[in-house]
Amino acid sequence: MDLPAIYSRSRLVLALVYVFAGLVGILVFFPFVWMVLTSLKTETEALRIPVVWLPDRPTLAAYVTMWLRKNYATYFFNSAVVSLTTAVISTLLGAMAGYGFSRFALRGRGVLMGLVLISQMLPGVLVVGPYFKILSAVGLYDTRTGLIIAFLTICLPFATWMLKGFIDGVPRELDEAAMVDGCSRWRIFVGIVLPLIRPGMVATMLFAFLLAWGDLLWVSTLTHSEGMVTVTLAIARTVLEFYVNWPELMAGALMGGFPGIVLYLLMQRWLVAGLTAGAIKQ
Amino acid sequence: MNIVRGRPAPASHGFRARGRAACLPRLRDAHLGYVFIAPTLLLLGVVLAYPAYESVRLSLSPRGGGGVTLVQYVGLVQSDLFRQVVWQTAVFVTASVTAHVVLGLAVALVLNRPLWGRTGFRILALLPWVVPDVVAGIIWKWILNPLYGVLNDALARLGLIAHPVEWLTNPSLVLFSVILANVWRGFPFVMIIFLAGLQSIPTELYEAAAIDGAGTLQRFRHVTLPGLRRVFIVALALDTIWETRRFGLVQAMTGGGPGTLSEVLSTQVFKQYFQFFKFEFASAMAIAMTGLLLFVSIPYVRMIVREE
């Protein structure tokens, strides 16, 4: 790499840079390491004073307990169904809306887009109360469908904005050429635009998934029965109990973070590109 | 995820081969535009605008009666608890965002150099941002545990403390501890945004500045900072909005306690609504919070509108 003009080439500076990066790395990763180490301990070992850093005899007992005795399979299923559905629907609807905003001279376009933008800034607690009543009234309280609709309110505005940015990047000439060939807008959208913004769709889907998977506010207000609990709600409930089994809680938290971590590591290229595209677009 | 692969027709078996017959009948173009945005607008109207309107209505209605009253807002202004929570939210947001920006910029500057392991570091650094809020809160609750927590143990081994520190129960420390966890969680995202911004600054600008005899600090002030202006606004606005709304981390870590000392606006509105069932009061508080959020997002919105 040659960026000679930007940086000093002194060895001292370079050493300092590495030391700083190393310290930040430890700061970032240690909590994860500690979570893994704790989850591999027995409860007695986790509660020993002074603190035992490495488990004497690592055990997976905490994971087994969470998965087999504590209904984690159900919670995972709920989280997965709700988050995946939300991610797919918000990406598809968001892409449609993004295309509509990007390519049509609509009356009131500015106002409508402003409304979508502002809806991103509303705090969840503003709407979660009335939402509870509405869902109860239509019989969707304590259902996965109710949760999905709720998550769409968070994810859809974001998806629309993000995907509109990507669609803006697709040259209009492509649309026009296809229209000359007699193709409908819908076919242009599905056949030309969507394939070209695939990275943006992956990024949006992943982002929506992470938002839905990580939510606590909506799941704690819109569900109550054991069969509807999601992973995050289960974790939050455990910690509020009088007695906490820390290795089990750490195992649960680790598993709760796991799908997001794996999906992110598989698709980080698109997520980072998607999130930063909006920020640095000139 | 195979929906991504399966759903959109690949461009290769495209529209040309099928010709006109395969195409939908043409509506007038403008009408068609509304068809594309209709599902999103309808959904947002039903599930966002209507509840928001309900909250406004609720905040203006006297308990159990008709008519319009400002009594909830008067109560809000007079409430010591509300003032305390606004103050704590302000501290939480300001400290978090400042730390995110300072730390994020510093690390981004370091990682903008060609370094060994830079790409891997960049990928892994975003992990705290990827895990759910609740998970971040739980990790730190365990690290900060006064008896069994590893932070106290490490500080004691280094000889920095003589007695265990009560990170989450000491009234003057608890907000700091929650902010600490939130800094860990949030700075990697700001860092990534800054890094992207740094890499979009043309190298020629630095070379030209160097030829003009500008030192490192001058190049930072006159090339780097102006080049990051846009990125800076985006990061600042988005992060401020997100941190003001932050719920799960605080809820999982302290539940707002001890007492109400780590309570922020979202956790407090939640409690007023679903624990104390003071719907009107909670709504008024939520409206106040929304007003605050819309106010801080003005620069961001203005920038976007200008581009449109």
Side-chain angles (χ1 to χ4, degrees):
Chain A
M1 299 236 195
D2 50 337
L3 303 168
I6 309 184
Y7 294 110
S8 133
R9 277 184 245 171
S10 118
R11 275 167 181 274
L12 178 67
V13 172
L14 192 65
L16 285 176
V17 161
Y18 271 109
V19 168
F20 182 71
L23 284 177
V24 173
I26 292 172
L27 175 80
V28 168
F29 298 121
F30 182 74
F32 288 112
V33 173
W34 191 240
M35 183 161 61
V36 174
L37 288 178
T38 306
S39 74
L40 296 174
K41 289 174 187 169
T42 60
E43 199 186 358
T44 343
E45 201 171 25
L47 298 186
R48 203 168 291 159
I49 301 174
V51 173
V52 184
W53 283 55
L54 293 171
D56 264 346
R57 286 166 52 204
T59 165
L60 291 173
Y63 292 87
V64 176
T65 312
M66 291 314 267
W67 200 259
L68 295 181
R69 269 195 17 233
K70 298 227 166 154
N71 263 340
Y72 250 59
T74 310
Y75 309 150
F76 255 81
F77 176 77
N78 289 337
S79 286
V81 168
V82 169
S83 315
L84 281 176
T85 316
T86 305
V88 171
I89 297 180
S90 51
T91 306
L92 291 178
L93 293 187
M96 275 179 67
Y99 185 73
F101 281 127
S102 175
R103 297 298 153 92
F104 296 90
L106 303 170
R107 183 176 294 185
R109 176 172 169 277
V111 176
L112 292 176
M113 286 192 57
L115 287 177
V116 175
L117 183 63
I118 284 175
S119 63
Q120 275 181 49
M121 289 148 202
L122 299 180
V125 286
L126 174 71
V127 283
V128 85
Y131 213 90
F132 166 78
K133 289 182 195 162
I134 297 170
L135 283 192
S136 309
V138 296
L140 285 174
Y141 172 69
D142 199 29
T143 62
R144 283 184 285 267
T145 315
L147 270 186
I148 292 167
I149 299 174
F151 287 149
L152 283 176
T153 65
I154 323 171
C155 299
L156 195 49
F158 228 103
T160 303
W161 268 101
M162 213 157 143
L163 289 168
K164 180 192 166 284
F166 277 94
I167 294 170
D168 284 342
V170 176
R172 279 167 164 271
E173 289 75 39
L174 287 180
D175 294 44
E176 282 154 16
M179 262 149 69
V180 171
D181 283 352
C183 244
S184 71
R185 284 285 195 177
W186 181 251
R187 268 198 81 64
I188 295 168
F189 172 64
V190 174
I192 301 174
V193 175
L194 285 192
L196 286 175
I197 58 159
R198 212 172 290 175
M201 306 235 325
V202 176
T204 310
M205 219 176 268
L206 186 51
F207 190 67
F209 178 89
L210 291 176
L211 270 180
W213 185 278
D215 168 80
L216 177 67
L217 177 64
W218 296 84
V219 292
S220 42
T221 49
L222 302 181
T223 61
H224 75 275
S225 65
E226 181 65 13
M228 285 299 144
V229 168
T230 63
V231 178
T232 45
L233 183 55
I235 298 169
R237 277 188 184 172
T238 312
V239 80
L240 291 176
E241 282 162 13
F242 176 67
Y243 161 77
V244 177
N245 181 318
W246 285 101
E248 286 179 9
L249 183 58
M250 286 299 121
L254 206 58
M255 291 190 289
F258 197 64
I261 293 176
V262 170
L263 277 180
Y264 163 71
L265 289 179
L266 288 176
M267 298 192 263
Q268 49 84 18
R269 189 192 303 261
W270 291 287
L271 182 74
V272 172
L275 288 173
T276 50
I280 61 167
K281 194 172 53 184
Q282 295 301 324
Chain B
M1 283 293 126
N2 57 12
I3 285 124
V4 183
R5 246 175 283 130
R7 191 56 180 265
S12 53
H13 87 67
F15 50 94
R16 276 166 209 273
R18 307 238 176 138
R20 278 162 203 270
C23 297
L24 296 169
R26 290 282 281 278
L27 292 168
R28 271 193 44 221
D29 221 34
H31 291 188
L32 200 55
Y34 289 109
V35 175
F36 273 98
I37 59 173
T40 295
L41 288 184
L42 281 178
L43 201 62
L44 289 183
V46 175
V47 300
L48 211 53
Y50 179 68
Y53 160 78
E54 265 298 301
S55 271
V56 175
R57 199 186 58 84
L58 210 54
S59 75
L60 291 172
S61 59
R63 275 219 100 143
V68 170
T69 169
L70 286 176
V71 68
Q72 298 303 338
Y73 290 95
V74 174
L76 204 59
V77 176
Q78 291 172 341
S79 150
D80 289 338
L81 177 62
F82 177 66
R83 261 187 302 238
Q84 183 205 336
V85 172
V86 168
W87 170 246
Q88 281 164 196
T89 311
V91 173
F92 177 81
V93 175
T94 315
S96 299
V97 173
T98 309
H100 289 168
V101 168
V102 171
L103 206 55
L105 183 59
V107 181
L109 285 170
V110 164
L111 289 186
N112 196 37
R113 291 179 76 108
L115 288 179
W116 181 85
R118 181 175 75 162
T119 312
F121 185 102
R122 218 162 70 196
I123 295 170
L124 294 176
L126 207 55
L127 286 184
W129 187 77
V130 170
V131 297
D133 240 20
V134 175
V135 171
I138 299 290
I139 302 176
W140 281 91
K141 194 181 165 84
W142 174 232
I143 290 178
L144 299 176
N145 186 298
L147 289 175
Y148 315 112
V150 69
L151 183 61
N152 274 350
D153 185 65
L155 292 178
R157 277 171 206 251
L158 292 172
L160 293 172
I161 55 169
H163 305 286
V165 178
E166 301 267 353
W167 297 100
L168 295 173
T169 43
N170 181 328
S172 47
L173 275 181
V174 61
L175 198 56
F176 168 81
S177 305
V178 178
I179 292 168
L180 178 70
N182 200 37
V183 170
W184 174 78
R185 186 177 190 284
F187 92 85
F189 178 76
V190 178
M191 186 263 293
I192 294 284
I193 296 282
F194 274 134
L195 197 56
L198 284 174
Q199 289 175 349
S200 73
I201 301 176
T203 339
E204 295 82 54
L205 288 183
Y206 286 102
E207 279 154 12
I211 290 167
D212 288 345
T216 313
L217 275 182
Q218 279 173 312
R219 287 200 297 263
F220 179 73
R221 244 195 80 193
H222 297 290
V223 181
T224 310
L225 284 185
L228 287 178
R229 211 185 84 90
R230 193 204 139 88
V231 173
F232 192 80
I233 296 179
V234 172
L236 205 63
L238 281 183
D239 200 37
T240 309
I241 295 168
W242 288 343
E243 301 323 329
T244 311
R245 289 194 302 207
R246 185 87 39 234
F247 173 80
L249 183 125
V250 180
Q251 185 73 5
M253 211 170 153
T254 64
T260 52
L261 287 168
S262 64
E263 205 78 73
V264 288
L265 277 167
S266 11
T267 55
Q268 188 55 39
V269 175
F270 175 79
K271 285 197 180 73
Q272 294 292 341
Y273 218 109
F274 292 97
Q275 267 177 29
F276 311 138
F277 306 111
K278 292 165 85 175
F279 302 139
E280 293 83 2
F281 188 68
S283 300
M285 201 184 281
I287 303 279
M289 183 181 170
T290 310
L292 207 71
L293 271 171
L294 293 179
F295 182 73
V296 297
S297 42
I298 288 173
Y300 177 61
V301 174
R302 274 183 56 181
M303 192 176 77
I304 290 178
V305 169
R306 209 172 290 158
E307 275 163 22
E308 270 299 314

